[in-house]
Amino acid sequence: MFAKAFRVKSNTAIKGSDRRKLRNDVAATFPTLTSEQLSEIVPNKEELNIIKLYAHKGDALTVYANGRIPVLFEMEKRLYPTDLMLPGVVVPSYGLPQVDRGTLCAITLVGNSAPVAIGIATMSSAEMVAAGMKGKGFTVLHTYMDHLWEFGDKSCPPTIVPLEAEPSEMMDAEEEEQEAGEGEGKSQENSHPIDPCLQTGIRNLNMEDAIQSVDMTEKEEPNENGAAETTEEDNLDVPQEAEDSRSPQEQMDALLHQCFFHALKCKVKKSELPLLTSTFLRNYMFACCPQGQQLDIKKSSYKKFSKFLQSMQQQNILQVKELNKGVESIVNVDWRHESIRSFVVPIEIAASELSVQDSRSGDGEQPYHCPEITPLYGISSRMAPLFQESGYKKGDTLSSSEVRSAVINYVKLNELVDETNKNFIKVDPILCDCLLDKSEQDEISKLTWDNLLSRCLDKLQPFHQVTFFGHDPIVRKGNNDPIDINIAQRSCNKKVTIIKNLELYGLDPQAVANFLQLKVQASATVTTLPGAKDRAQVQVQGNQIHHLAKLLVEDYQIPRKYIKGLEMAPKMGRKK
């Protein structure tokens, strides 16, 4: 279902009535859920969004997301592209769980009860046994590491130890194994009979994990350092027992602080600010989580990541601001803060992080990648009727190709192409209200294709999408502001070069000022941009546009269309 990329049609906050209806539907579909579990899936007050999307084969789906993390999805068209074959299903010693055809099932791996996929059974458990555990057993809807998983916070499944079989079942299995060892002609299938009376009501099925079996084989291979490795593991058990004396909430708080300071000290660079808080959590803090542990903020005393960042901001470790409506970003970090400086990376991952810390202390910086900027167009209330038939509504943002497709679709559905000349489009009442001014409504009855599309783009609200390398796209309202370079006159006929809007392209104004100061041996300062508290401008003595052009165009490879003022460079050979 989500094996390939999907297209998001709309993303809106859920209404109160829809939230109540969703709770009732979930309670009816999963009657075994307690009220606490139901509130965790469909919270009463937390933000919950309804995301309508189309899968790669055109299937329409509705996803319910809590803080951009998908928690539920429902399908309008039941077309499922992926199957789980029965030979890949491990049958437990007590037999298959009782499953009917069409039952929604969780699919797990051997040794871990945490689901890695969900699917619908194509036959009952009795039919699976009758078929000799061959053929298609389940239609898979959603799996770990598919595109729906990538849409969320990309967290790994937790490790949940499977429930052990009852003693009576274990004794039966041992007796059967002994009988199989004594009898030479008995097959392996007879050693694990599927007894219906031993079937449980838990509808979880185990799937073979080839990677896990390979890892287990490698671990079982003897080596020369086997004794030393055993001693290390025994020594590591001592601090683990000390941690277990703390409550689960205290342990999660400690893990949260460890990942936070680890990410700030070793992962985040100043040039990456401002940084979305969601990106910081997903791409940096989760990456610092030790192997085998799961970072779950809901299990900490903070409950929400925003409250945790607010606590860190009160300690003056960082500064968080809402640069866009409803979207918070980290705009400043005090790397000289005692909490960051005194933090020591855990010993088990210190070796892998040494290179990152060295690059921070030295001159080595990650290569800069110019952001990808895509113009978008927002649908206003006036233009909404024109796009309604294509499935769009007020507030949706479209690319130019999507606008063109929607307009062509509207013209074809309403048969507005002129019969005598197909280059002209007849203006109907909706096109008249959307595209024509009042003075033109009585004069214009036809439009050319080019005029129709250009008028449509002009009437839509301007937006643009900025995609930084390794980060999620950011949609901003209005047209994209270029890097503004200006030459100003100061006292005594002195000239200064002023550079603005560097932050919009992921550039650190202080780093640009330091480069110019060393390159031209002139004074360079960074000051707050008047009228914008979150933006800065660089001021350098003299006309330094030549050096700026080399830095921005040649070194950073920023297209010239995103730079304003390069034409003011002094002519070569003329003394300044």
Side-chain angles (χ1 to χ4, degrees):
M1 177 63 70
F2 303 102
K4 296 183 180 180
F6 52 81
R7 181 173 70 87
V8 177
K9 176 183 175 183
S10 62
N11 187 347
T12 57
I14 194 171
K15 299 179 181 178
S17 57
D18 293 337
R19 188 190 295 262
R20 291 189 294 271
K21 182 178 181 300
L22 178 61
R23 286 178 62 91
N24 295 334
D25 292 343
V26 173
T29 307
F30 306 100
T32 58
L33 289 177
T34 63
S35 58
E36 291 80 7
Q37 293 172 333
L38 186 61
S39 299
E40 187 174 351
I41 297 174
V42 186
N44 294 323
K45 295 183 179 180
E46 293 183 18
E47 180 183 359
L48 197 65
N49 285 20
I50 302 178
I51 304 170
K52 295 186 180 294
L53 53 88
Y54 292 104
H56 65 282
K57 286 193 174 182
D59 305 327
L61 298 98
T62 301
V63 177
Y64 299 92
N66 182 2
R68 195 177 167 78
I69 302 176
V71 292
L72 294 166
F73 69 90
E74 60 182 355
M75 295 143 291
E76 298 176 8
K77 297 180 181 179
R78 295 184 174 272
L79 294 176
Y80 312 124
T82 310
D83 298 324
L84 174 61
M85 309 307 289
L86 288 178
V89 176
V90 178
V91 180
S93 60
Y94 52 82
L96 287 174
Q98 187 63 39
V99 174
D100 297 327
R101 180 179 297 184
T103 303
L104 187 66
C105 301
I107 302 171
T108 66
L109 299 176
V110 176
N112 188 359
S113 293
V116 295
I118 58 173
I120 292 180
T122 58
M123 61 177 74
S124 65
S125 53
E127 293 172 336
M128 295 179 189
V129 175
M133 296 303 291
K134 294 181 180 180
K136 182 176 69 174
F138 300 89
T139 299
V140 179
L141 306 179
H142 166 46
T143 65
Y144 168 58
M145 297 188 72
D146 63 7
H147 283 271
L148 183 62
W149 171 84
E150 292 181 355
F151 188 78
D153 59 357
K154 300 181 182 179
S155 58
C156 300
T159 301
I160 302 176
V161 180
L163 296 175
E164 296 182 358
E166 295 184 1
S168 60
E169 299 173 0
M170 296 177 64
M171 292 175 63
D172 292 341
E174 291 176 358
E175 292 175 0
E176 291 169 358
E177 289 177 0
Q178 293 176 1
E179 293 174 359
E182 294 173 358
E184 296 179 356
K186 294 184 179 180
S187 64
Q188 186 178 0
E189 293 180 359
N190 293 332
S191 66
H192 296 285
I194 302 174
D195 189 354
C197 67
L198 295 178
Q199 293 176 345
T200 64
I202 302 175
R203 294 172 178 175
N204 287 350
L205 298 173
N206 290 332
M207 187 170 58
E208 289 183 355
D209 188 5
I211 299 176
Q212 184 176 0
S213 63
V214 172
D215 293 341
M216 292 296 294
T217 305
E218 292 177 355
K219 291 180 181 178
E220 291 175 359
E221 291 181 357
N223 55 57
E224 298 177 357
N225 300 328
E229 292 175 357
T230 305
T231 306
E232 279 186 315
E233 291 179 356
D234 293 339
N235 294 337
L236 290 175
D237 288 341
V238 177
Q240 183 67 31
E241 293 177 358
E243 290 182 0
D244 291 341
S245 63
R246 298 178 296 178
S247 65
Q249 189 178 80
E250 292 175 344
Q251 294 182 35
M252 189 55 64
D253 285 348
L255 180 61
L256 184 62
H257 283 84
Q258 174 185 317
C259 296
F260 172 76
F261 289 114
H262 188 177
L264 287 183
K265 189 167 186 176
C266 301
K267 301 289 184 181
V268 180
K269 295 183 180 295
K270 189 174 182 180
S271 59
E272 296 173 332
L273 301 180
L275 180 63
L276 291 176
T277 56
S278 58
T279 303
F280 173 66
L281 174 64
R282 180 172 60 252
N283 295 349
Y284 293 89
M285 288 187 61
F286 282 155
C288 295
C289 187
Q291 187 176 4
Q293 298 190 43
Q294 179 74 20
L295 183 60
D296 191 347
I297 298 177
K298 291 185 177 180
K299 294 182 181 179
S300 68
S301 60
Y302 299 95
K303 304 300 181 185
K304 294 183 178 180
F305 189 52
S306 58
K307 291 184 179 180
F308 172 74
L309 290 179
Q310 185 179 2
S311 174
M312 297 297 103
Q313 186 171 228
Q314 291 174 354
Q315 300 178 35
N316 297 324
I317 299 176
L318 50 71
Q319 186 179 7
V320 178
K321 287 189 177 182
E322 187 175 322
L323 300 183
N324 296 319
K325 186 177 181 181
V327 180
E328 291 186 338
S329 300
I330 300 175
V331 297
N332 186 35
V333 177
D334 183 9
W335 275 286
R336 296 184 180 180
H337 196 278
E338 184 62 28
S339 299
I340 299 179
R341 297 178 61 185
S342 61
F343 174 77
V344 179
V345 180
I347 189 171
E348 61 269 16
I349 51 179
S352 62
E353 297 296 332
L354 268 177
S355 59
V356 181
Q357 293 183 18
D358 292 341
S359 66
R360 174 177 290 280
S361 59
D363 294 331
E365 287 286 339
Q366 294 182 356
Y368 171 79
H369 296 272
C370 179
E372 181 181 348
I373 301 175
T374 306
L376 299 177
Y377 302 89
I379 301 176
S380 60
S381 57
R382 177 181 176 180
M383 299 291 290
L386 180 58
F387 295 88
Q388 188 173 2
E389 295 183 1
S390 297
Y392 302 110
K393 64 179 184 307
K394 175 187 175 183
D396 291 347
T397 54
L398 312 175
S399 63
S400 57
S401 60
E402 290 175 330
V403 172
R404 180 184 180 89
S405 299
V407 173
I408 294 175
N409 181 50
Y410 177 83
V411 171
K412 290 183 178 180
L413 289 177
N414 294 275
E415 299 179 351
L416 298 179
V417 179
D418 190 13
E419 295 83 359
T420 58
N421 189 346
K422 294 185 178 181
N423 292 327
F424 285 90
I425 306 301
K426 294 181 289 186
V427 177
D428 67 348
I430 292 181
L431 289 178
C432 180
D433 294 338
C434 294
L435 305 181
L436 300 183
D437 297 332
K438 289 185 178 181
S439 59
E440 299 174 326
Q441 292 180 357
D442 296 332
E443 300 177 359
I444 299 177
S445 59
K446 295 180 182 180
L447 292 172
T448 62
W449 278 106
D450 292 340
N451 195 4
L452 174 67
L453 293 172
S454 62
R455 281 175 177 265
C456 185
L457 293 176
D458 292 339
K459 295 294 182 180
L460 293 172
Q461 296 175 345
F463 284 81
H464 65 279
Q465 175 179 286
V466 182
T467 306
F468 292 97
F469 180 76
H471 298 275
D472 292 337
I474 303 173
V475 177
R476 297 170 178 167
K477 192 174 183 179
N479 293 315
N480 177 56
D481 292 331
I483 297 177
D484 188 6
I485 304 175
N486 192 22
I487 303 297
Q489 198 86 13
R490 292 292 185 260
S491 59
C492 302
N493 200 25
K494 291 183 179 180
K495 293 182 179 180
V496 293
T497 304
I498 301 175
I499 311 104
K500 305 176 184 176
N501 300 332
L502 291 171
E503 303 94 337
L504 300 180
Y505 295 82
L507 293 173
D508 182 14
Q510 188 63 55
V512 174
N514 293 340
F515 170 83
L516 293 174
Q517 186 175 17
L518 295 174
K519 187 71 175 177
V520 303
Q521 294 297 307
S523 173
T525 58
V526 179
T527 59
T528 303
L529 186 65
K533 297 181 179 180
D534 302 328
R535 306 260 286 277
Q537 64 178 9
V538 178
Q539 180 173 303
V540 189
Q541 285 186 354
N543 188 335
Q544 310 299 345
I545 295 183
H546 272 310
H547 298 288
L548 268 174
K550 184 179 184 303
L551 174 67
L552 299 177
V553 178
E554 297 181 15
D555 296 344
Y556 291 156
Q557 296 184 354
I558 299 177
R560 286 181 174 269
K561 63 180 180 180
Y562 298 140
I563 306 174
K564 177 184 176 182
L566 293 180
E567 67 279 358
M568 292 184 291
K571 294 181 180 180
M572 298 302 295
R574 183 180 176 184
K575 188 177 180 180
K576 286 287 177 180

